[in-house]
Each structure stands twice: as structure tokens, then as C-alpha cells.
Amino acid sequence: MSVSSPFKMRLVHLDLKGAPPKVSYLAEVFPLFRALGANGLLIEYEDMFPYNGHLRLLRATHAYSPSEIREILHLATLSELEVIPLVQTFGHMEFVLKHDALAHLREVALFPNTLSPHEAESLALVRTMIGQVMELHPGTRWLHIGCDEVYYLGEGEASKQWLQQGQNNKAKLCLSHMKAVASHVLAQHPTTTPLVWDDMLRAIPEDQLSASGVPQLVEPVLWDYGADLDIHGKALLMEKYRECGFSRLWAASAFKGATGASQALTPIEHHLRNHMQWLQVAGGGPVDMLQGIIVTGWQRYDHFSVLCELLPVGIPSLAICLQSLLRGGFAEDVKARVEDFLGISSLEITDFASEEAASFPGSDILALVTQVSLQLRSSVDALLERDRYVTGWFSHYHRRRRLIHPVMVQHIRPQVLSLLARWSALEQELQAALRRVFYPDAVEEWLEENVHPSLQRLQGLLQDLSEAAGPPPLLASPCPDTGQDP
């Protein structure tokens, strides 16, 4: 492998809070991740971890079993991928705090994202979660403890009272909880270094950050998923963190899941530009401070939001990004290598992927999702909103009143039936492909969000047509001749 990458560690992030892949699919993609240039995984289990005891209620319906976690770690080892588990301990605690039994630990009652740092039970909860995760990840060199987007911190009643005392402020409140969690990790697991997302640290004054003791406990992960990130600003931020006493820093880019909460197809060019700029940041920042880069692939914006791009859909983007990181840049030879790895004859960088054949694991899902995303809604719109027979003779006015010229039924119905047959067949094919990779609830959710609304519009039109046309006319039977007037 090339040594031109400024990032020693190149981790692929698996966000399991939506559409978690089956272990059988991970067995197929881990070798590909390694071949593309990854040497580690950041696994954000969320509710897919097999929490037990009084935390058993956190498990999702299809949560991995302990033996499946061990199998995932074994598969990672076979592909020489070092695993770093991620446990949220402050913000993004929705999967924990949504439960009635734990709702009293919210910082703000209506907001299940943020844990109250004032409750002794809060720290006990986090310690138990960390303990269970670490038990299944013995010897891990790093543990990511989250701590990003701690929204509404300081707005709970206990926080408001605390903030009125002495020199207290929100930064101190944030740092004290972060320090308590990190100190616990290091006390129980001295060879494991905690990682934290850096967004809550960015605006904290240098002297306060230095005096907090946090820089001696954690390694911050500077994250920015933009296609036009501020390269100079990142270099200044890295310098600030170095001055505060942090010995190691990480970067975090994105290969999917960062361009729209309901995004279905991955805009590769956006993510490639993001990585090109991170390479520039690495080239201009403090020497030897960067431990590595986490290539994030978000599956939901938070626990309650819809699914964004599925993992197989994002693999071409991941491939381009990893190979560019590994080679220190992007050029035609990198594109050719990626096409070879993925079995694609011509990978589209500047537009959404074509439906042409590929041979990477899950490539059938990408092809089918591309068809759905680029053609399903537009084909239904074309019929319902632009077809001259539908708009001219079976408008919303006509449909509500079940009025139609009988001849128009013959023009409209065959088109509706043809579209419905085409997309129903594709839905069945996509459903089968998704079921090979994902659990039933993820399959149901993706189809319900992305396919069913259009099919229901077609079925609704067909139903209205049938009701407007009425039953086919019956031929009158001749009356018997009785010699009387009818």
C-alpha cells in the first residue's frame, strides 16, 4: 500500500442507528474496505449493542447478540481492520432517554438527546454502558465517547441553578462531564484512550480548556463534512488544541449521510472535495499531531430522523474517498483503480451513479435504488400531472365527482396498469435485495418512505378510474313476447 497518505489511521464509520447490516454482509464488505485503504472501523452501535441487565430495554428488535459482536470483531481482524467502539455519553442519547424509565435523566424534559450532567444516576448509567461495551471489546486502544451536539445544555432547572453560582458557565459544565467520563474510562482501562467529537470544544477559550485537565485525558476528533471547509480555520483550530495540551488529534470527513436527512443517492463529488480539503488541512497543520481520519457514513441525522443513503449506495463514494486518502490525492489512475475494485466500467463522479452493472457487495441495491430515486416519482408525476388525458379529462375535480368520458378510460387505464406493473416488479426485486443485507424493519422503512407513496398514487388513480367508469354496461336481454305492452 502507498505511504503517501498523511493519515496513519483510516477508519470507516459504521453508523448502526439506522439500517444496520446483517453480519453476513459485513463479512463481504470488510475485505473490500481493507483493499480500498481502510485499516480500522469506528462502530457506532447505539441500540444494536446487546445491552443486558437493567439496560436490556435499550436493545433494538434486531440487536446483535454477544456472539455476533464477537463475530464482527473476528471478521475485522481477518481483514486487518482495528475496531474502535463508540458509546454516546452526553449528546445524542435519544436511544437511551426516549425510554420512560430513563426520561428523568434528560437535561430538558422535552428533549431526549441530552443527558443531565447533574444527576449522579447519569454518570452511573454511562459507566454501565461503557463497562458492557468494553467487556466485549477487550484491549481496544481507543474508545469514542461521543460528546457532540449537546444541545440545550445549561437549560435544565438544575443547570440554571448551578450556573448562577460563582464562576460557573456552560463550558465548565460541559468539560466537567467530559472529564468525569474520560477519567472513568482511563481508571478502568488504563491502556484505552477516549476520543471525543470536537464541536463542543471549539469555542471554549484556550485558558479554560487548558486548565480543565481534559486535554490530558482525551483525543479530539475535528469533524467537518463540507465540500468547502475552511482549511486555514482548521489549521488554526489544530494549533489552538496543541497549545491547550492535546497531544493527538483526529480528523473526520464523510463519505455519505451528510448532505440531507432524507438523501437517497450519494453525491460523490461533494464527498471527494471534502476529502481533498482534509488532505490540505493535514498538509498544513502541526506536524505529527494527526493520528488518523474517521470517514463517517451517517445513517440517520439522529435517532428519530429518517434513513439517509444506505451503506451499499454509498460504497462507490467510500471507495473514491479512501483511495484518494491513500494516494494523497485524486487523479484518473485513482478513478481507474476504484472502477476495478468495484467492477464498474465507468464510475460517475459529478452526477449520481448510473444503473450500469457493478460487482461489489450490494451493487444490486445501488442499481435498484438509483432507478427508484431518478425515475419512480418522475414517471408517476409525468402521468398524473402532465399527461393530457389525465389533466384534461380526469382532473382532481373529475376524480372527486367520479366523472369521466368513457373513451378516456381506455386511454388512461393501460398507462396506469403498465406503470404499476413495472414499479411493483422492481419493488419486489429491491425488497429481495434489501432483505439479504438488512433486517425486516429497515427494509420496511426504506420502501415505505421511498417507494410506497408513488405506488399508492397510482393505485389511487386506478381506484378512482374504476369507480368513475362504473361496472361495464350489461346487455339488455330480450323480453318474451306475451302479446301485452311492456
Side-chain angles (χ1 to χ4, degrees), residues 216-257:
Q216 285 70 47
L217 301 173
V218 306
E219 294 177 1
V221 183
L222 288 71
W223 61 272
D224 195 320
Y225 312 141
D228 54 355
L229 63 84
D230 180 355
I231 295 167
H232 179 61
K234 285 288 178 291
L236 292 176
L237 186 57
M238 289 169 67
E239 185 59 38
K240 169 188 170 177
Y241 288 153
R242 190 181 67 80
E243 291 287 334
C244 290
F246 291 104
S247 59
R248 288 277 184 274
L249 304 174
W250 296 69
S253 56
F255 74 91
K256 77 175 187 76

Side-chain angles (χ1 to χ4, degrees), residues 1 31 36 55 75 97 106 138 235 310 312 398 402 413 438 474:
M1 284 207 176
L36 291 168
L55 295 185
L75 292 168
L97 300 178
R106 299 174 184 180
L310 298 168
H398 294 90
R402 301 295 189 261
R413 181 177 275 144
F438 301 109
L474 296 172

Side-chain angles (χ1 to χ4, degrees), residues 368-369 371-373 376-377 380 420 423-428 430-431 434 443-459:
L368 294 164
V369 165
Q371 284 190 60
V372 166
S373 300
L376 172 55
R377 184 182 295 179
V380 174
L420 203 48
W423 289 115
S424 296
L426 190 138
E427 184 204 12
Q428 293 302 309
L430 176 55
Q431 187 176 70
L434 290 171
V443 177
E444 179 186 9
E445 180 181 350
W446 200 91
L447 294 175
E448 202 166 308
E449 287 283 345
N450 297 280
V451 177
H452 293 173
S454 293
L455 294 185
Q456 285 162 1
R457 290 176 72 199
L458 289 175
Q459 287 159 346

Side-chain angles (χ1 to χ4, degrees), residues 9-236:
M9 298 289 294
R10 297 170 298 278
L11 274 60
V12 176
H13 169 237
L14 294 175
D15 177 20
L16 303 181
K17 66 175 173 282
K22 293 178 178 178
V23 178
S24 55
Y25 183 69
L26 297 178
E28 296 180 60
V29 292
F30 284 0
L32 177 61
F33 292 172
R34 179 60 184 173
L36 291 168
N39 54 14
L41 301 167
L42 178 70
I43 305 184
E44 184 163 354
Y45 289 107
E46 222 207 35
D47 57 4
M48 284 302 288
F49 188 81
Y51 288 107
N52 58 55
H54 69 285
L55 295 185
R56 192 180 184 90
L57 81 168
L58 304 185
R59 291 189 190 188
T61 305
H62 300 284
Y64 298 137
S65 66
S67 63
E68 285 178 313
I69 300 283
R70 285 189 283 270
E71 177 65 10
I72 291 169
L73 299 180
H74 174 64
L75 292 168
T77 301
L78 290 178
S79 290
E80 300 177 74
L81 297 168
E82 181 165 358
V83 173
I84 300 176
L86 185 152
V87 184
Q88 287 289 3
T89 59
F90 206 178
H92 281 293
M93 291 282 282
E94 306 98 291
F95 80 102
V96 178
L97 300 178
K98 71 178 183 180
H99 296 284
D100 291 343
L102 297 167
H104 63 287
L105 298 179
R106 299 174 184 180
E107 168 74 343
V108 175
L110 286 176
F111 194 72
N113 299 46
T114 297
L115 185 70
S116 168
H118 300 283
E119 300 283 344
E121 197 183 330
S122 292
L123 196 55
L125 167 72
V126 165
R127 286 173 172 172
T128 304
M129 290 168 64
I130 289 172
Q132 293 191 16
V133 169
M134 289 297 288
E135 189 177 343
L136 282 177
H137 296 78
T140 181
R141 287 199 286 169
W142 292 278
L143 171 70
H144 201 313
I145 57 172
C147 297
D148 60 315
E149 299 182 331
V150 190
Y151 298 135
Y152 295 98
L153 182 64
E155 296 185 26
E157 286 309 311
S159 287
K160 287 177 180 175
Q161 292 175 24
W162 184 87
L163 289 169
Q164 290 170 0
Q165 300 166 20
Q167 304 297 307
N168 291 345
N169 56 42
K170 286 186 184 179
K172 184 176 178 183
L173 182 58
C174 178
L175 290 168
S176 61
H177 182 76
M178 209 179 275
K179 184 176 182 180
V181 175
S183 297
H184 169 74
V185 172
L186 288 163
Q188 297 297 313
H189 311 278
T191 59
T192 300
T193 302
L195 305 183
V196 295
W197 300 117
D198 85 308
D199 53 291
M200 299 301 293
L201 304 174
R202 291 171 197 164
I204 297 177
E206 206 170 297
D207 56 347
Q208 191 174 356
L209 199 47
S210 299
S212 69
V214 168
Q216 285 70 47
L217 301 173
V218 306
E219 294 177 1
V221 183
L222 288 71
W223 61 272
D224 195 320
Y225 312 141
D228 54 355
L229 63 84
D230 180 355
I231 295 167
H232 179 61
K234 285 288 178 291
L236 292 176

Side-chain angles (χ1 to χ4, degrees), residues 318-370:
L318 175 63
I320 285 282
C321 295
L322 280 174
Q323 277 287 292
S324 298
L325 287 176
L326 190 67
R327 309 276 153 195
F330 178 74
E332 277 303 310
D333 64 318
V334 173
K335 181 172 179 284
R337 286 178 63 84
V338 168
E339 288 167 350
D340 189 46
F341 278 124
L342 302 182
I344 296 176
S345 60
S346 180
L347 180 60
E348 187 59 64
I349 303 291
T350 56
D351 204 351
F352 289 118
S354 68
E355 296 156 36
E356 67 170 271
S359 60
F360 66 87
S363 54
D364 54 341
I365 291 174
L366 171 60
L368 294 164
V369 165
T370 302

Side-chain angles (χ1 to χ4, degrees), residues 342-418:
L342 302 182
I344 296 176
S345 60
S346 180
L347 180 60
E348 187 59 64
I349 303 291
T350 56
D351 204 351
F352 289 118
S354 68
E355 296 156 36
E356 67 170 271
S359 60
F360 66 87
S363 54
D364 54 341
I365 291 174
L366 171 60
L368 294 164
V369 165
T370 302
Q371 284 190 60
V372 166
S373 300
L374 299 185
Q375 297 174 32
L376 172 55
R377 184 182 295 179
S378 60
S379 69
V380 174
D381 285 349
L383 177 64
L384 269 65
E385 297 168 19
R386 292 186 293 281
D387 180 89
R388 70 192 187 99
Y389 296 119
V390 175
T391 58
W393 280 268
F394 203 44
S395 68
H396 287 294
Y397 176 89
H398 294 90
R399 289 178 66 176
R400 279 198 303 273
R401 289 161 177 79
R402 301 295 189 261
L403 300 172
I404 193 166
H405 189 300
V407 170
M408 289 302 157
V409 178
Q410 297 169 32
H411 284 293
I412 298 171
R413 181 177 275 144
Q415 293 188 77
V416 183
L417 289 171
S418 174

